[in-house]
Amino acid sequence: CVSNPPERVAYIGTQNLISARSAALEMEAVATQNRRCQNPVYHIILSWREMEIPTNAQIDKAVQIALSELDLQDCQSLWIVHNDTENRHVHIVVNRIHPETYRAIQPANNWSHKAIQKASRKIELLQGWEIEQNGVYTVTTDGELVQKEKSSTPKLSKSALDMEAHTATQSA
């Protein structure tokens, strides 16, 4: 696939690899140095809105920001940009086994969802894209990235919500 990329592949990037063609073999060679890790491959997708068309350089920078937030910036990685949908997106495949220490890295210490949201806001800010309002992080009017405060209202359990609906009274 990488040696003769299909038409839907718009761009291929790599990090800590000799070439995209040998990426799978190179990653496997490093991954086999750690016999305890069951799943050395980590896959994420970054996607832009339909009207946002990043350049290859912007995509490279976005990948670097995401890898950094996930604590995977030193790992072997391959990314492939697709243009087969209405919005441009990039698939990032990372070998979680560090190429020098051969230790398995847990992306963002198991907080990968939060790390990806933080990376997304950083990318939006840096590259001038529309800021997504849903999520853990937001951008202030000063252009500062901040974590949203959790609601002080406790969430009700399903049974409490069912009881409220049945009795038409608010739960204590």
Side-chain angles (χ1 to χ4, degrees):
C1 173
V2 176
S3 59
N4 282 325
E7 289 180 22
R8 66 189 196 119
V9 174
Y11 175 68
I12 298 173
T14 64
Q15 172 180 280
N16 295 329
L17 295 165
I18 295 169
S19 78
R21 289 182 179 160
S22 62
L25 291 173
E26 291 179 62
M27 287 184 180
E28 183 179 11
V30 170
T32 57
Q33 299 302 310
N34 182 320
R35 297 180 196 274
R36 292 173 37 202
C37 182
Q38 297 298 313
N39 294 315
V41 177
Y42 187 73
H43 174 252
I44 59 172
I45 299 172
L46 299 179
S47 181
W48 285 261
R49 288 181 176 83
E50 188 175 333
M51 300 304 288
E52 298 174 343
I53 303 176
T55 65
N56 292 344
Q58 287 175 309
I59 290 169
D60 287 343
K61 183 63 177 170
V63 168
Q64 295 307 315
I65 291 169
L67 291 176
S68 180
E69 286 299 323
L70 290 163
D71 303 322
L72 297 169
Q73 66 273 10
D74 296 329
C75 294
Q76 296 171 313
S77 55
L78 168 79
W79 53 96
I80 299 174
V81 179
H82 285 172
N83 59 5
D84 62 342
T85 61
E86 292 178 4
N87 59 325
R88 185 162 272 206
H89 62 280
V90 58
H91 293 263
I92 308 167
V93 179
V94 185
N95 183 3
R96 294 189 311 111
I97 307 303
H98 193 280
E100 294 175 6
T101 65
Y102 303 123
R103 288 187 171 172
I105 298 171
Q106 194 59 264
N109 289 324
N110 284 326
W111 291 94
S112 58
H113 181 72
K114 191 173 175 181
I116 289 296
Q117 286 192 28
K118 187 174 185 179
S120 297
R121 297 305 81 77
K122 283 184 174 183
I123 293 163
E124 292 162 353
L125 261 175
L126 178 70
Q127 298 182 355
W129 307 120
E130 182 181 340
I131 305 296
E132 175 66 45
Q133 297 304 316
N134 297 329
V136 177
Y137 293 91
T138 189
V139 178
T140 65
T141 54
D142 300 337
E144 185 179 340
L145 183 69
V146 294
Q147 186 171 346
K148 291 180 182 176
E149 291 187 27
K150 289 187 176 183
S151 172
S152 60
T153 308
K155 291 186 178 182
L156 296 177
S157 67
K158 183 178 178 346
S159 59
L161 289 170
D162 290 344
M163 184 57 80
E164 280 188 354
H166 180 68
T167 62
T169 58
Q170 188 174 12
S171 174

